[in-house]
Amino acid sequence: MGPAVPAGARLFLALTLCLAAGAAEPEGRPAGRKVLPPPSNLHYSFGQLCKLKWTWNPPEGMNSGCDLEYCSEILINGIPQENREWSRNLFREEDVSLNEEAHFRVRSECKSDNTSEPSNWVEISTPPKGAAGTAAVGINCTWYNLEYMVCTWLPGQNASAGTNYTLYYWYDGLGNNQQCQNYIYGDNFGCNFSLSIQNSTDVYPTISILIRDNSEEIRPVCANRNPTTIVKPGPPRIVTASMIKDEMHIEWQNPGTFPPHCLVYQVELKDSKSGSVQQHDIKGYTEAWFPSVHPNTVYVVKVRARVEGTCYSSNRWSDWSEEKSIGENTDFTFYIGLILTVPLTVAVATIILLVYLKRLKILIYPQIPDPRKIIKRMFGEQIEDFQSYPGDDFLNVRKPAMEEEIHYLVWIENPESSTSDNEDRERPALQVKAL
Ligand SMILES: *[C@@H]1O[C@H](CO)[C@@H](O)[C@H](O)[C@H]1NC(C)=O
Ligand SMILES: *[C@@H]1O[C@H](CO)[C@@H](O)[C@H](O)[C@H]1NC(C)=O
Ligand SMILES: *[C@@H]1O[C@H](CO)[C@@H](O)[C@H](O)[C@H]1NC(C)=O
Ligand SMILES: *[C@@H]1O[C@H](CO)[C@@H](O)[C@H](O)[C@H]1NC(C)=O
Ligand SMILES: *[C@@H]1O[C@H](CO)[C@@H](O)[C@H](O)[C@H]1NC(C)=O
Ligand SMILES: *[C@@H]1O[C@H](CO)[C@@H](O)[C@H](O)[C@H]1NC(C)=O
C-alpha cells in the first residue's frame, strides 16, 4: 500500500501523527496550554540621572511548580529596541534619553516549561516633559586627556532665544549628580567639567549627561556615553629635537597620564626647502631617530597622539604639538649667490640713479642755446642772420633791445650749466678708471 500513497499525502500523515503525539504528552491535561497570570502593580520611578527604574510585584495565583521569570522590553516611540531581557528580579533600571516616549512592558514566564503560556504584557509609558523640539540637539562630548570632559550642543529648534541650558552629570561612583559650572558660549553651547575616573578596575562607568532648563517648557535630554569611546589626548610637547650629521632625534612627552602602551604617535617632518612631508607612526615610545635626512635642510617637526584600540576604543587624534624647526641651512650656493647679488644690486641701483639724475637735470634746466652761436649772432652776423632766417618769426617780431636783454640773461646762466655739464661728462671716465 505504501508506494501507492502520493508524497503530499504522506507528509500530511506524518504531520498529523506528530501533532497527535504532542497533544497527548501532557498526561490528562486539557488541550491548549495554561496562560500564566501577569505581574502586578507595575510602576516606574526616576533613579539616578538619566535612569528610569520600573518595579512590579509577582503575579497572583501562581502554582509553585513554575520556575518563574520576567521578560521585559522597552519600546521607544512605539518601536521595540531589541532590549528584551529575562530575569527573576522584580525591577529593571535603564538609561533613557528622556526626550522620547519610553514604553515599558513586562510579562511572566515559566522557565523550561512548555506546559504554560507566558502571561499577557503589562505596560506603562513615560511621556517626555516639555514641548516638542525644545530639547538640546547635536550633543557631542569629548574626554580630553582623561582629565576633563567638554560637551557641546545646539539649542532645539523650538526653544526660545536665550534658553539657558544647564548640564548635569553623573557616573557610577560619583555619589550625587553634579552641575557643570564652566559654560562655553560660541557657535555651539558647551560646558567643560573635570573628569578623572579612578582606574582601579580598568572598567570605566557610563557617563550620564543631562541637559535641561529650569523652565518647564524646555524638554530635558539625556546622553549616556562610554567614556573610552570619546577619548582625545592632549597635544604632546616636543622636548628634544637635534640633528647629528644626517640623523635626527626627536623626543616628546606623553600628553597625560596614559599608560605608555596605550598611545600611538605620529611624527611629521616637513622639508622646508622642497615642502615634502613625511609622516611616521611611533607606537609606545616617546622618542624616535630618523636616519639619512638631508643635511643642509631645515625641517619643521610636529607630533600628535592617538589612543590605542586595545586600551580605549576611540580614534580621535590629538591636536598637533607646537612646531620645532631643526637643521641648518648651510647651502654654499646660497651664500655665493648672496655675495654676488649684493654688490651687483648696488651697482645697478647707482647707474639707474645717475641716469635718473641726468634726466632730472634736463627737465629742470631746459636745453640752452649754444652761447657761441648767440655771440656770433649778436656781433657781426646779426643782420645777415635776420635775413637768412626768414622763418624765425619770433626774433623778427621782437625789438632788438629786448633781444639783447634776453641774450644777456642767458649769458649769465650759461657758465654754471656748462661747467656742471662738463663735470658729468668727466665722471664716468673717472669711474671707469677706478674700476
Ligand atoms: C517540552 O517539549 C519538548 C519537545 O519540544 C519535550 O521533549 C518535553 O518533554 C516537553 N516537556 C514537558 C514538561 O512537557
Ligand atoms: C516645533 O513645534 C511645532 C508646533 O508645536 C511642532 O509641530 C514641530 O514639530 C516642533 N519642531 C520640532 C523640531 O519638533
Ligand atoms: C564632535 O567633536 C569632535 C571634536 O570637536 C569632532 O572631531 C567630531 O567630529 C564631532 N562629532 C560629531 C558627531 O559631531
Ligand atoms: C539666561 O541667563 C541670562 C544670564 O544669566 C539671563 O540674563 C537671561 O534672562 C536668562 N534667560 C532666560 C530665558 O531665562
Ligand atoms: C576645560 O577646562 C580645563 C581646565 O580648566 C582647561 O585646561 C581646558 O582648556 C578647557 N577646555 C576648553 C575646551 O575650554
Ligand atoms: C592607573 O593609574 C595609575 C596611576 O595613576 C597608573 O600608574 C596606571 O598605569 C593606570 N592604569 C591604567 C590601566 O590606566
Side-chain angles (χ1 to χ4, degrees):
M1 194 188 156
V5 181
R10 253 190 296 167
L11 187 67
F12 176 75
L13 246 170
L15 271 172
T16 42
L17 277 172
C18 246
L19 283 170
E25 243 179 24
E27 315 96 12
R29 211 179 275 251
R33 297 184 295 174
K34 190 185 160 205
V35 175
L36 289 172
S40 61
N41 197 21
L42 172 64
H43 61 276
Y44 69 83
S45 58
F46 290 96
Q48 273 300 350
L49 206 67
C50 302
K51 281 191 192 298
L52 262 183
K53 188 174 183 179
W54 295 271
T55 49
W56 56 90
N57 293 345
E60 286 150 6
M62 280 293 297
N63 61 344
S64 55
C66 174
D67 186 3
L68 190 62
E69 261 192 346
Y70 302 101
C71 170
S72 62
E73 67 178 3
I74 298 150
L75 290 76
I76 300 297
N77 291 333
I79 302 154
Q81 302 294 302
E82 295 190 358
N83 53 15
R84 198 174 270 205
E85 214 176 78
W86 284 265
S87 151
R88 284 192 179 85
N89 292 335
L90 287 165
F91 68 90
R92 182 167 173 187
E93 191 172 45
E94 289 292 336
D95 292 324
V96 288
S97 71
L98 294 182
N99 66 336
E100 293 159 315
E101 181 173 43
H103 197 84
F104 180 84
R105 61 192 194 183
V106 62
R107 71 182 183 191
S108 6
E109 292 182 8
C110 281
K111 201 178 173 186
S112 61
D113 173 12
N114 42 16
T115 65
S116 56
E117 290 272 4
S119 75
N120 293 324
W121 292 108
V122 195
E123 308 187 358
I124 195 167
S125 79
T126 43
K129 292 174 182 163
T134 55
V137 293
I139 300 168
N140 185 358
C141 297
T142 304
W143 192 19
Y144 285 96
N145 230 9
L146 313 182
E147 284 169 357
Y148 54 94
M149 177 95 87
V150 177
C151 290
T152 58
W153 64 89
L154 290 166
Q157 245 175 36
N158 285 352
S160 56
T163 299
N164 291 319
Y165 292 100
T166 311
L167 186 150
Y168 299 84
Y169 61 97
W170 180 83
Y171 54 87
D172 192 9
L174 186 63
N176 295 325
N177 301 338
Q178 299 293 316
Q179 186 179 335
C180 184
Q181 301 294 344
N182 186 10
Y183 289 88
I184 301 159
Y185 301 97
D187 290 342
N188 291 3
F189 286 94
C191 203
N192 178 353
F193 56 94
S194 98
L195 179 71
S196 358
I197 304 167
Q198 296 310 307
N199 68 355
S200 54
T201 54
D202 265 9
V203 179
Y204 290 101
T206 297
I207 312 292
S208 296
I209 307 286
L210 169 68
I211 299 170
R212 49 167 285 203
D213 182 273
N214 286 331
S215 133
E216 289 292 308
E217 186 66 13
I218 302 298
R219 181 168 289 185
V221 60
C222 261
N224 295 290
R225 297 282 185 266
N226 174 352
T228 71
T229 62
I230 51 173
V231 176
K232 178 176 169 173
R237 197 168 70 85
I238 297 175
V239 290
T240 309
S242 61
M243 183 111 87
I244 298 149
K245 286 183 183 162
D246 59 352
E247 188 175 61
M248 195 191 291
H249 176 222
I250 313 287
E251 197 178 337
W252 59 89
Q253 276 177 345
N254 182 324
T257 54
F258 297 92
H261 67 274
C262 285
L263 286 180
V264 183
Y265 299 97
Q266 191 169 60
V267 180
E268 186 185 288
L269 309 180
K270 187 176 168 189
D271 180 333
S272 66
K273 212 196 296 174
S274 69
S276 71
V277 170
Q278 301 173 39
Q279 287 186 335
H280 302 274
D281 284 359
I282 314 288
K283 235 181 202 180
Y285 297 96
T286 53
E287 61 182 327
W289 283 266
F290 302 103
S292 51
V293 291
H294 293 291
N296 310 331
T297 303
V298 175
Y299 284 90
V300 178
V301 183
K302 55 184 180 177
V303 185
R304 61 178 180 171
R306 180 170 62 76
V307 290
E308 259 283 45
T310 50
C311 299
Y312 312 93
S313 45
S314 162
N315 55 8
R316 293 188 194 175
W317 281 106
S318 75
D319 294 338
W320 286 104
S321 69
E322 278 187 17
E323 293 183 343
K324 278 259 159 82
S325 289
I326 176 170
E328 275 174 41
N329 207 338
T330 51
D331 197 334
F332 282 113
T333 55
F334 175 75
Y335 285 113
I336 290 163
L338 203 72
I339 286 160
L340 284 180
T341 41
V342 169
L344 216 77
T345 317
V346 171
V348 169
T350 315
I351 290 162
I352 290 168
L353 198 70
L354 284 174
V355 169
Y356 180 70
L357 279 176
K358 176 107 184 165
R359 281 200 170 194
L360 211 64
K361 200 174 283 163
I362 290 162
L363 278 177
I364 293 166
Y365 308 108
Q367 193 120 51
I368 289 148
D370 192 331
R372 276 168 299 184
K373 267 192 192 168
I374 293 158
I375 293 161
K376 244 185 179 180
R377 261 190 249 162
M378 277 173 74
F379 308 100
E381 290 172 24
Q382 203 170 13
I383 297 146
E384 276 171 42
D385 275 351
F386 284 150
Q387 282 163 353
S388 63
Y389 301 107
D392 204 341
D393 290 349
F394 176 77
L395 290 171
N396 275 335
V397 169
R398 292 203 194 293
K399 287 176 196 169
M402 273 282 277
E403 209 175 74
E404 269 178 27
E405 250 178 55
I406 291 160
H407 287 166
Y408 179 69
L409 278 170
V410 168
W411 177 260
I412 294 294
E413 278 180 359
N414 205 34
E416 198 190 304
S417 76
S418 74
T419 47
S420 67
D421 251 4
N422 285 342
E423 268 170 31
D424 272 333
R425 252 178 245 127
E426 273 167 23
R427 230 179 248 138
L430 270 167
Q431 276 186 340
V432 168
K433 270 185 217 160
L435 279 169

